[in-house]
Amino acid sequence: MDELHQLKIGFIGAGNMAFGIAQGILKSDEVVPSNVIVSAPSKNNFPRFQVMGVAVTHSNEEVVQRSRLVFLAVKPHFVSTVLNSVSKHVTPQHILVSMAAGITLETLEQLLPGGLCVMRMMPNLPCMLQEGAMLLACGAGASQETGALLKNLLSPCGLVEVGPEAWIDAHTGLSGSGVAFVYVFAEALADGAVKMGMPCALAQRIAAQTILGAGLLLRDAGKHPAQLRAEVCTPGGTTAYGLHALEKGGLRAATVDAVEAATERARELGRK
Ligand SMILES: NC(=O)c1ccc[n+]([C@@H]2O[C@H](COP(=O)([O-])OP(=O)(O)OC[C@H]3O[C@@H](n4cnc5c(N)ncnc54)[C@H](OP(=O)(O)O)[C@@H]3O)[C@@H](O)[C@H]2O)c1
């Protein structure tokens, strides 16, 4: 806890992901707002950080000089320009964590002086509400202790897992893109109720709450999804009839295909 209390944290990029992560880590009260600094070219995103007591600057160099842990939170196509401009200020004491989709540890390490502590993290949109699912991968210069420190720091932002970089693309398919797959399912659930005569806005509210409640049960009950499904399934009842319709429609195979397609696309983008 003391380590987090003293940790100087910087964000290069002040967009939605930086904001969601900053908001999450500050909620824990272990990180001191005045130890956090964020940079961006424009002032557009500064007010929401200033409200939290976070320092703001237009200088990426200042972020690196004032921080030990630096999150790289710019769009992937800005990564090389940003790292080229700050690399002379990066020291062996720094921990650099990139959240840029598709930018590999190898690329990051090539853009920085050798032997540095570099990590990748892949967040997803619910990090904005501290209900994210994040996967961390450590570069060659990052120790297990650093991975543990990051896991501890980020845990108020949602689920944090540490794994090999090879899993990052699968995580992108499962969780980054998976958020959109769930939205399609939510839309379809509500459409079904509208077809059966329910007003659209009400159907959407109930679909959202159904997905939220089912997700919480799945996360917290410690049971396999098949077991939870079986518990809702009375023999000869409504759910059994509905599930048969879903299987006939190929929902399960289509979902596996969707995760596979998104993972393959993430791999392809990482090679470009
Ligand atoms: N959003 C997601 O669901 C998601 C999921 C996984 C990974 N990611 C990754 O997270 C990263 C950030 O995404 P985001 O959604 O937060 O993007 P965003 O909302 O568009 O924010 C990008 C930020 O970068 C700033 N910026 C642009 N050029 C810069 C430069 N040269 N130096 C410093 N800052 C600069 C922008 O400045 P201004 O404020 O002046 O515009 C903005 O604050 C991306 O690499 C993305 O791949 C995002």
Side-chain angles (χ1 to χ4, degrees), residues 137-161:
C138 300
S143 64
Q144 277 193 345
E145 289 74 33
T146 309
L149 173 79
L150 255 288
K151 191 170 172 172
N152 188 17
L153 173 76
L154 291 169
S155 58
C157 303
L159 176 74
V160 191
E161 299 285 351

Side-chain angles (χ1 to χ4, degrees), residues 19-269:
F19 177 66
I21 303 288
Q23 205 178 31
I25 62 180
L26 287 172
K27 263 191 185 159
S28 73
D29 287 336
E30 290 184 29
V31 173
V32 182
S34 57
N35 282 346
V36 184
I37 182 167
V38 63
S39 65
S42 79
K43 289 182 181 164
N44 296 347
N45 284 301
F46 283 174
R48 57 185 179 168
F49 287 93
Q50 288 167 309
V51 165
M52 298 192 286
V54 168
V56 295
T57 175
H58 295 304
S59 164
N60 298 336
E61 287 86 347
E62 188 184 352
V63 168
V64 173
Q65 285 166 331
R66 285 180 51 175
S67 314
R68 178 170 164 241
L69 169 62
V70 178
F71 288 101
L72 191 55
V74 295
K75 291 289 185 198
H77 56 279
F78 289 128
V79 166
S80 62
T81 317
V82 167
L83 287 186
N84 281 329
S85 69
V86 300
S87 70
K88 59 181 174 294
H89 302 292
V90 182
T91 69
Q93 279 69 48
H94 279 104
I95 304 166
L96 193 128
V97 183
S98 165
M99 53 183 92
I103 307 288
T104 62
L105 285 168
E106 191 185 1
T107 303
L108 294 165
E109 284 163 354
Q110 279 166 1
L111 288 164
L112 290 162
L116 290 179
C117 178
V118 179
M119 301 179 71
R120 272 182 82 184
M121 68 180 268
M122 193 43 63
N124 67 352
L125 195 61
C127 285
M128 294 282 299
L129 303 173
Q130 289 75 57
E131 287 293 352
M134 282 157 280
L135 185 67
L136 285 170
C138 300
S143 64
Q144 277 193 345
E145 289 74 33
T146 309
L149 173 79
L150 255 288
K151 191 170 172 172
N152 188 17
L153 173 76
L154 291 169
S155 58
C157 303
L159 176 74
V160 191
E161 299 285 351
V162 182
E165 186 180 24
W167 294 352
I168 291 248
D169 292 330
H171 173 77
T172 306
L174 166 65
S175 183
S177 308
V179 170
F181 306 157
V182 172
Y183 291 147
V184 170
F185 186 67
E187 203 183 345
L189 266 185
D191 284 351
V194 170
K195 187 176 180 195
M196 303 321 290
M198 186 182 279
C200 184
L202 178 63
Q204 279 172 13
R205 283 202 300 280
I206 294 175
Q209 186 62 27
T210 302
I211 287 171
L212 176 67
L216 287 173
L217 262 180
L218 181 60
R219 186 187 68 182
D220 298 339
K223 294 179 183 173
H224 191 281
Q227 190 180 344
L228 286 169
R229 175 186 46 70
E231 286 171 12
V232 191
C233 232
T234 312
T238 57
T239 311
Y241 275 68
L243 285 170
H244 185 203
L246 278 183
E247 295 292 0
K248 276 199 287 190
L251 178 89
R252 190 184 297 261
T255 306
V256 174
D257 282 351
V259 176
E260 185 180 346
T263 304
E264 291 296 354
R265 180 64 180 149
R267 282 186 188 146
E268 196 179 301
L269 290 174

